[in-house]
Amino acid sequence: MQKEYEKQLNHFYNPVHTVQGQGAVRELSLLLRQILSPREKVLLLAWDESVFERKVFQSLGQEFSLLSHCFTASNPTVEQLFSLYEETKEEDPQVVIAVGGGSVMDVGKSLCCLYGREISSPQVLRRIIVEKDYGVPRTRWIGVPTTSGTGSEVTCWATIWDPQEGVKRSIETSWNYAYAAIVDPDLTAAMPVKLAVSSALDAVAHAVESYWAKGSNMTSKVLALGAVQVIMKHIDCLLSGDQQAHEYMSQGSLLAGMAFSNTKTTACHSISYPLTMQYHIPHGTAVSMLLGPVLKINLENMKNVYPLLRALGAENAEDLDKKIQQILQRAGIPSSLREWKVDHSRLPELARQGLTKGRADNNPVNLTPDMVEHLLETIY
């Protein structure tokens, strides 16, 4: 009886203070004052120098000791993370403010796990990541996304790529949730349509995969359905250039981030990693192309699939596949592996590499390399 009761329990945890809506970024100084004394050190890490010109960020220098630094790379590597650690470690900031997309936030939150440690080389850093030898971070961070898709501002893990070893690595510890997330759609308004659509579809994938993940629960399912519904309902507005769509995308991205912060992602993300690392297919595009095919396989092990299909605006897996392809094509984004110049002869190898521990085994159906190769064939 006790075991049956325990199975019915729903555990959901996310400690991030979230502020969402137009003008939310103006709350930044107030949030910093809650955790810092005047003149304490803050690292402002941004995707572009234009961020430093905004009045709201310039004003921080009047209250705190502010160090500004740009990080412009996509899909940050172990070597790039080490280089930034070397450049900023002497400052030893009390807070990192990460302003940008998922890559900037991945680096920002990773630095918080590294400050105060002696790391002499990328090899030492690689060992720390592999062994998950982080300890309790001594630095806190605040996420300010300028894209609507990653949800990184409300998760406690960061993706760091390791092309030298041919793998994707993850820095993750429940101690490293952000102190706060400021989700202001005004900061996403300048995104090119292709980036905005790919980011939005990444958020859809986060939510869909959270819904069917082995670790899903009552709260994560509600958040996931809300995210899918708000994004898919307004993605046509995004494609047509309606600026109000950015508000809805930011809502959906935040909800999706909250959902998968507790469940992690599954097969779509796992299979997409080598496609992004080796063929530079944008992450959101790669995962979205896999949604329909993976849904078709997962149906046999899914409960309550109809609320998810309704939120997606699709009748079945094939319908979802067509819908995603149409969205990508309208945005001018290639919608097949062939169009992305993927070498067909490498599909078996990509299939083996796509079975990532912690993601593929979180899928409701256990996948084999042959099954993944068939999935890749369907989107070729």
Side-chain angles (χ1 to χ4, degrees):
M1 189 66 162
Q2 178 66 23
K3 288 184 178 179
E4 183 178 342
Y5 170 72
E6 288 174 353
K7 287 181 181 179
Q8 296 174 358
L9 293 178
N10 287 279
H11 293 271
F12 186 91
Y13 175 74
N14 192 297
V16 183
H17 179 163
T18 59
V19 186
Q20 188 278 331
Q22 288 185 308
V25 72
R26 292 194 291 269
E27 298 286 303
L28 183 55
S29 292
L30 177 62
L31 289 168
L32 281 173
R33 288 188 214 113
Q34 293 173 3
I35 53 175
L36 289 181
S37 300
R39 309 317 302 169
E40 285 196 288
K41 293 180 180 180
V42 175
L43 170 62
L44 178 60
L45 185 67
W47 68 278
D48 186 82
E49 288 190 1
S50 63
V51 169
F52 308 139
E53 298 170 5
R54 285 179 171 263
K55 180 184 267 187
V56 67
F57 296 115
Q58 287 182 338
S59 66
L60 298 179
Q62 299 167 15
E63 297 186 65
F64 308 101
S65 178
L66 189 67
L67 169 69
S68 299
H69 204 291
C70 269
F71 185 84
T72 59
S74 296
N75 304 319
T77 66
V78 172
E79 287 74 18
Q80 289 168 337
L81 176 58
F82 175 75
S83 177
L84 187 57
Y85 159 81
E86 282 277 279
E87 292 173 28
T88 60
K89 67 179 181 180
E90 296 303 322
E91 295 293 332
D92 195 20
Q94 280 74 52
V95 172
V96 173
I97 303 172
V99 185
S103 294
V104 171
M105 273 184 266
D106 283 342
V107 169
K109 67 172 78 171
S110 295
L111 288 173
C112 293
C113 294
L114 306 180
Y115 288 137
R117 307 189 57 144
E118 289 299 323
I119 304 172
S120 58
S121 68
Q123 289 71 32
V124 173
L125 174 56
R126 183 175 287 108
R127 180 193 60 76
I128 290 172
I129 296 174
V130 170
E131 296 179 2
K132 302 193 180 301
D133 180 24
Y134 320 126
V136 178
R138 59 186 288 173
T139 305
R140 306 176 85 171
W141 70 283
I142 294 174
V144 186
T146 59
T147 63
S148 295
T150 70
S152 185
E153 66 276 7
V154 289
T155 68
C156 64
W157 51 76
T159 296
I160 301 297
W161 300 83
D162 196 350
Q164 182 175 312
E165 301 288 331
V167 295
K168 182 227 65 151
R169 303 201 184 276
S170 183
I171 292 180
E172 54 184 89
T173 167
S174 58
W175 292 102
N176 204 29
Y177 277 103
Y179 171 71
I182 297 178
V183 185
D184 190 334
D186 287 344
L187 299 179
T188 70
M191 274 193 298
V193 171
K194 288 183 181 180
L195 176 59
V197 169
S198 183
S199 298
L201 291 177
D202 186 19
V204 171
H206 288 150
V208 170
E209 292 180 76
S210 176
Y211 188 86
W212 68 42
K214 288 180 179 178
S216 66
N217 57 63
M218 176 193 69
T219 308
S220 65
K221 284 182 183 292
V222 171
L223 291 166
L225 289 176
V228 173
Q229 186 173 34
V230 74
I231 293 172
M232 296 303 285
K233 183 178 179 180
H234 295 96
I235 201 160
D236 280 344
C237 297
L238 184 67
L239 286 161
S240 65
D242 185 345
Q243 288 297 301
Q244 192 173 357
H246 292 291
E247 167 67 27
Y248 296 113
M249 297 304 113
S250 79
Q251 292 176 12
S253 177
L254 177 60
L255 290 171
M258 294 289 287
F260 92 101
S261 74
N262 273 237
T263 66
K264 298 187 178 179
T265 52
T266 65
C268 297
H269 271 69
S270 181
I271 299 167
S272 78
Y273 293 142
L275 301 177
T276 294
M277 184 159 50
Q278 298 176 38
Y279 289 96
H280 308 292
I281 302 176
H283 174 66
T285 299
V287 292
S288 68
M289 289 163 58
L290 291 156
L291 279 173
V294 174
L295 172 60
K296 188 174 183 178
I297 287 178
N298 285 345
L299 282 173
E300 63 182 79
N301 273 24
M302 285 183 64
K303 296 179 180 179
N304 300 321
V305 67
Y306 295 108
L308 178 61
L309 288 172
R310 283 197 298 271
L312 287 163
E315 295 182 5
N316 49 45
E318 291 79 4
D319 190 28
L320 174 61
D321 194 30
K322 291 178 183 176
K323 198 178 188 76
I324 296 295
Q325 286 189 38
Q326 289 170 355
I327 291 170
L328 290 172
Q329 290 164 4
R330 284 183 60 190
I333 301 172
S335 59
S336 69
L337 297 183
R338 180 182 290 104
E339 292 174 276
W340 282 103
K341 310 299 183 188
V342 174
D343 183 349
H344 186 272
S345 68
R346 294 196 61 227
L347 292 191
E349 180 185 356
L350 292 168
R352 289 191 298 273
Q353 294 173 347
L355 290 173
T356 310
K357 186 179 178 180
R359 297 298 182 269
D361 51 8
N362 193 31
N363 200 63
V365 173
N366 293 324
L367 300 176
T368 65
D370 287 344
M371 293 169 71
V372 176
E373 184 180 347
H374 175 71
L375 283 171
L376 294 175
E377 287 280 7
T378 65
I379 63 171
Y380 194 82

